[in-house]
Amino acid sequence: MNINNDILNEIRQAAGENNVLQNLEEKIPYKNDASYMPGRIPELVIIPENSDQISRVLKLCTKYKIDVTVRSGGTSLTGSSVTNYNGIIINTMKMDKILELNIASRYVVCQPGVRLDNLNEYLNKYGFFYPPDPASSKASTVGGTISTNAGGLRAVRYGATKEWVLGTEFVTATGEIIRTGEYTLKRSAGYDLTALIIGSEGTLGVLTEAILKIEPLPEKYGRILSFYNDIYDVGSALSAVKNAGITPLIAEFMDLKTINSIRDKLNIKIPDYTQFMLMVDIDSTEASLKGKIENVEKIIKNYTKDVLTIMDQKTMDEIYKARKGAYSALLNQREKKNEIVIIGDVIVPASELPATLKEIKNAVDKMKINVSLFGHIGDGNIHANIFADNTKTGLEKVEKLQMEIAMAAIRHKGCVSAEHGIGTEKNKLLYEEYKERNSLYSLELMKRIKAVFDPENIMNRGKIFYD
């Protein structure tokens, strides 16, 4: 509904006069996020300072049936943080405090607006870190990464965000402030509401606090780079490493287009035949690291003759930074001014990687679309960066290719979204995944759960579910 002056005054009183943006120039930046999905300029942007303000605002929004979209860093790649309807955006960026650190119990308590790099800069002083590590960690926040169950480069070893959230404070659409989980590493206490909130993409309410597990920094690690002509060999090499019982700290692959986009930052010699590069980090104690790396080198050399090991920390930091900047660097590889870059994001079990990569490469070649392939190959996560004309015809081709890639993942026991969430970009793909698994009723159960938290269906309407 449209927000009239009487409702506006109620919202201002609930949120605090200085926490409501209503001028057009203040609202325009909220029309888009990091995705290519079209959004709308919200009627209002609320930037609350605490849970009570959020609670009061959501009670009003439920009462007046005002659509609400939750947003923090705006780094969503699937359109989760833009609004599709007339309504408001609640931005949690003012709630950016680290509230408590407990080293002995291995947890830190944060508000949702804390950026991941800032959190790790703080934790590193104590010899600890928070493992989830999306490429956008400089801008992405605790709240946003919990809402999409983000993964990142270290997921091969540490898993996705869901493995690291002990509990939350959460405000439902009806304004109820609830606490889920605990400060303990294990508990048995009925339904796991914390797990339900993780990955819910703002469709149930607003996250206002999180209890996160932390981990000691690795003692010592080295980096192995290897080069390939055939994408099948990349998947085979990584599968062989994991079959040997070795779990890397990170395992990333890049195709030639991605390599070229960051080549000047890598500062290494790349063989002329290279079409793909595999980057594997191995960690261990100071005493045993050398032997462990030699063992991995031996395995990888069964699939390529060119293997480079780097132990210098400065060089490793430069390469890591270059890899995290690959998406933005790929923007410079666009061939036309109106091209946009869309990141596909699927995942399969590690054993299915070689065949899946080959199928995706064949689909790309068949459709003659400009695509770069890279991703967190260690946990089976494949990113297909699609260069597309920002036209109706161009976007239709992208949609067709996205479906081809998704179905390849589904055929190989995988999922249509590894870490970017569903948003509006992938809701049809998610529907196809559940349909293929003969489990569409699972989506119906999700809708029923949403109705309990959000009886008027005001929270991030149009996201996750495909109609």
Side-chain angles (χ1 to χ4, degrees):
M1 67 171 291
N2 291 324
I3 300 173
N4 61 36
N5 285 334
D6 290 338
I7 296 174
L8 175 59
N9 289 333
E10 286 189 66
I11 290 175
R12 280 177 175 160
Q13 188 174 356
E17 188 75 29
N18 296 327
N19 298 330
V20 180
L21 307 181
Q22 61 184 103
N23 295 330
L24 180 62
E25 61 270 21
E26 294 177 310
K27 298 185 297 181
I28 285 175
Y30 293 88
K31 180 178 183 290
N32 301 105
D33 57 15
S35 75
Y36 71 99
M37 305 304 294
R40 301 177 68 153
I41 297 174
E43 292 192 64
L44 295 174
V45 177
I46 315 296
I47 313 179
E49 301 170 61
N50 55 58
S51 302
D52 288 336
Q53 290 173 345
I54 293 174
S55 172
R56 292 195 293 267
V57 169
L58 288 181
K59 284 177 181 177
L60 291 172
C61 290
T62 292
K63 177 182 177 181
Y64 295 116
K65 299 182 182 179
I66 298 169
D67 282 293
V68 178
T69 300
V70 189
R71 181 179 176 122
S72 51
T75 59
S76 169
L77 293 168
T78 59
S80 295
S81 54
V82 294
T83 182
N84 295 343
Y85 302 90
N86 285 333
I88 71 169
I89 282 180
I90 293 179
N91 185 327
T92 60
M93 290 307 294
K94 277 187 181 177
M95 301 174 68
D96 62 353
K97 307 291 189 302
I98 297 172
L99 303 174
E100 180 187 355
L101 173 64
N102 191 316
I103 296 293
S105 297
R106 297 289 197 271
Y107 71 76
V108 63
V109 183
C110 298
Q111 291 182 318
V114 175
R115 298 193 189 275
L116 293 195
D117 277 3
N118 292 345
L119 174 59
N120 274 318
E121 184 179 350
Y122 169 79
L123 293 173
N124 288 174
K125 298 174 186 175
Y126 301 92
F128 282 78
F129 74 117
Y130 174 61
D133 186 34
S136 60
S137 59
K138 187 175 182 179
S140 58
T141 63
V142 166
T145 51
I146 289 175
S147 76
T148 58
N149 189 28
L153 280 71
R154 293 190 285 249
V156 58
R157 166 68 61 81
Y158 298 104
T161 298
K162 66 184 177 67
E163 313 294 341
W164 297 92
V165 183
L166 294 173
T168 72
E169 181 185 84
F170 191 79
V171 186
T172 69
T174 54
E176 300 295 334
I177 301 175
I178 64 173
R179 293 201 69 90
T180 73
E182 272 304 340
Y183 296 87
T184 54
L185 293 176
K186 61 182 180 180
R187 64 196 294 269
S188 181
Y191 297 157
D192 189 349
L193 295 180
T194 303
L196 182 62
I197 288 165
I198 299 166
S200 61
E201 298 185 44
T203 59
L204 304 179
V206 183
L207 179 80
T208 53
E209 197 173 295
I211 309 166
L212 306 173
K213 291 193 291 183
I214 58 175
E215 187 80 358
L217 287 164
E219 182 177 335
K220 183 83 173 171
Y221 68 94
R223 179 161 298 149
I224 301 171
L225 303 179
S226 50
F227 306 90
Y228 306 82
N229 182 55
D230 191 326
I231 196 168
Y232 191 90
D233 290 336
V234 181
S236 298
L238 195 278
S239 291
V241 170
K242 297 189 79 173
N243 279 335
I246 300 165
T247 303
L249 188 63
I250 68 170
E252 298 287 309
F253 89 101
M254 294 174 249
D255 70 359
L256 185 58
K257 184 178 285 291
T258 310
I259 294 167
N260 285 339
S261 73
I262 59 174
R263 189 184 284 258
D264 60 333
K265 302 288 195 307
L266 294 175
N267 198 26
I268 56 172
K269 180 173 173 52
I270 297 168
D272 293 338
Y273 67 83
T274 299
Q275 294 298 313
F276 303 94
M277 181 175 80
L278 176 63
M279 179 172 78
V280 176
D281 280 13
I282 301 297
D283 72 313
S284 190
T285 62
E286 182 88 42
S288 62
L289 180 61
K290 183 181 178 185
K292 196 170 180 181
I293 284 181
E294 287 175 350
N295 187 24
V296 175
E297 285 177 336
K298 184 178 179 181
I299 294 170
I300 291 176
K301 283 179 178 176
N302 289 319
Y303 302 91
T304 178
K305 62 182 182 142
D306 289 299
V307 179
L308 173 66
T309 297
I310 300 170
M311 301 296 293
D312 175 66
Q313 189 63 54
K314 183 174 182 294
T315 304
M316 286 193 290
D317 289 345
E318 289 171 352
I319 294 172
Y320 192 71
K321 186 177 179 181
R323 163 59 190 91
K324 293 191 81 170
Y327 172 66
S328 56
L330 278 165
L331 296 175
N332 295 323
Q333 300 289 308
R334 290 175 293 184
E335 297 173 353
K336 303 173 187 175
K337 286 185 178 180
N338 73 328
E339 272 188 343
I340 56 175
V341 182
I342 299 165
I343 304 186
D345 168 47
V346 297
I347 189 166
V348 296
S351 60
E352 300 289 330
L353 269 170
T356 309
L357 285 167
K358 198 73 173 176
E359 282 189 36
I360 291 174
K361 182 71 165 57
N362 289 341
V364 168
D365 292 344
K366 182 180 178 181
M367 295 183 67
K368 295 182 171 58
I369 296 179
N370 188 8
V371 173
S372 65
L373 294 174
F374 69 94
H376 318 307
I377 195 172
D379 60 3
N381 187 179
I382 304 164
H383 294 320
N385 273 28
I386 306 165
F387 293 76
D389 289 336
N390 194 12
T391 62
K392 182 181 178 181
T393 302
L395 294 178
E396 285 174 352
K397 286 182 72 176
V398 169
E399 186 177 347
K400 185 176 179 182
L401 179 59
Q402 291 271 51
M403 184 62 75
E404 289 279 342
I405 293 171
M407 294 310 295
I410 292 167
R411 283 192 297 273
H412 291 280
K413 305 177 184 177
C415 180
V416 300
S417 182
E419 59 183 5
H420 292 171
I422 301 300
T424 51
E425 182 196 42
K426 289 178 174 282
N427 53 19
K428 185 176 181 181
L429 302 182
L430 185 68
Y431 177 88
E432 291 298 328
E433 178 181 324
Y434 278 96
K435 182 180 176 183
E436 190 71 19
R437 303 273 190 260
N438 196 27
S439 190
L440 285 175
Y441 189 65
S442 295
L443 286 175
E444 182 60 33
L445 287 175
M446 291 183 200
K447 290 179 181 179
R448 293 185 186 186
I449 291 168
K450 176 172 169 56
V452 173
F453 280 77
D454 178 19
E456 297 296 340
N457 192 26
I458 63 169
M459 299 302 303
N460 226 1
R461 191 154 58 99
K463 313 298 168 58
I464 297 180
F465 304 109
Y466 173 68
D467 295 316

